[in-house]
């Protein structure tokens, strides 16, 4: 029985003697691997290059999202495992260091890019004030002038209307509402 136990207890790197290890242990290898990862990734930083804070992104149009992980010495690392999230549009998510997307909802967003590094560090970078809306959204104010002329029983009749107009186009660019005032001129009377 003892010779059989010695066969299973020994290998070329380890020898079990009274419950203790001689040589390298699995914990030593893990520590060495972690030290190598720490040496490569410690001091890394994440930077969102697009969009920038305060950017305008047209609603339902493709926009570029780009983030880069930089090593402590300032060199860009090839790290595609970046995830994106919005504080306004909880259903929106994007993955990748560089991607295009047209699905971000209307609103003023704080967009966060996050990277979980191989050494276990978590990096995050947020850009705020990113406005997503239709390029046609807004308040329009101006003058309104309409003139029309026609014949009625052989007589020319002119109709004119002039006044102000205020129109509001919603953030999606789908609905316009507003008010207009008009001074009507008909047959020489206002």
């Amino acid at each position: 029985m003892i010779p059989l136990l010695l066969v299973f207890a020994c290998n070329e790197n380890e020898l079990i003697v009274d419950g203790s290890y001689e040589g390298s242990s699995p914990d030593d290898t893990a520590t060495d691997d972690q030290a190598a990862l720490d040496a490569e990734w410690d001091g890394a930083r994440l930077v969102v290059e697009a969009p920038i804070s305060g950017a305008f992104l047209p609603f339902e149009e493709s926009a570029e999202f780009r983030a880069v992980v930089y090593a402590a010495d300032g060199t860009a690392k090839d790290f595609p495992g970046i995830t994106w999230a919005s504080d306004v549009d909880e259903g929106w998510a994007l993955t990748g260091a560089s991607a295009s997307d047209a699905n971000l909802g209307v609103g003023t967003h704080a967009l966060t890019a996050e990277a979980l590094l191989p050494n276990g560090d978590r990096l995050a970078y947020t850009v705020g004030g990113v406005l997503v809306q239709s390029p046609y959204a807004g308040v329009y104010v101006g003058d309104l002038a309409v003139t029309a002329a026609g014949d009625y029983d052989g007589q020319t009749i002119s109709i004119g209307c002039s006044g102000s107009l205020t129109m509001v186009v919603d953030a999606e660019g789908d609905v316009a509402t507003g008010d207009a005032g008009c001074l009507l001129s008909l047959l020489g009377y206002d």
Side-chain angles (χ1 to χ4, degrees):
M1 176 82 169
I2 298 223
L4 184 60
L5 186 57
L6 288 175
V7 169
F8 288 112
C10 297
N11 69 31
E12 58 187 67
N13 291 328
E14 298 176 352
L15 173 63
I16 300 175
V17 179
D18 296 327
S20 62
Y21 287 98
E22 289 182 11
S24 64
S25 71
D27 290 337
D28 290 341
T29 304
T31 303
D32 292 344
D33 290 345
Q34 185 63 41
L37 287 172
D38 287 342
E40 181 179 357
W41 294 99
D42 274 356
R45 61 190 171 85
L46 175 65
V47 176
V48 171
E49 295 181 343
I52 61 172
S53 289
F56 171 75
L57 304 180
F59 179 56
E60 294 182 331
E61 291 184 24
S62 187
E64 183 178 354
F65 299 86
R66 186 176 61 251
V68 178
V69 174
Y70 289 97
D73 66 2
T75 58
K77 302 289 278 179
D78 182 22
F79 190 83
I82 295 173
T83 58
W84 296 79
S86 165
D87 69 330
V88 174
D89 189 349
E90 293 179 9
W92 180 81
L94 192 61
T95 303
S98 182
S100 293
D101 187 70
N103 297 316
L104 193 56
V106 166
T108 302
H109 300 261
L111 301 175
T112 301
E114 185 176 321
L116 182 59
L117 301 180
N119 68 343
D121 288 353
R122 179 185 158 274
L123 304 176
Y125 191 103
T126 300
V127 291
V130 177
L131 177 62
V132 177
Q133 70 179 26
S134 168
Y136 306 109
V139 178
Y140 296 86
V141 178
D143 295 325
L144 176 67
V146 177
T147 46
D151 288 332
Y152 181 72
D153 279 339
Q155 186 177 8
T156 301
I157 298 176
S158 296
I159 300 172
C161 179
S162 64
S164 63
L165 168 70
T166 303
M167 183 173 64
V168 178
V169 178
D170 72 347
E172 287 86 8
D174 295 334
V175 177
T177 58
D179 292 317
C182 186
L183 180 61
L184 182 63
S185 295
L186 176 62
L187 303 172
Y189 295 100
D190 288 336

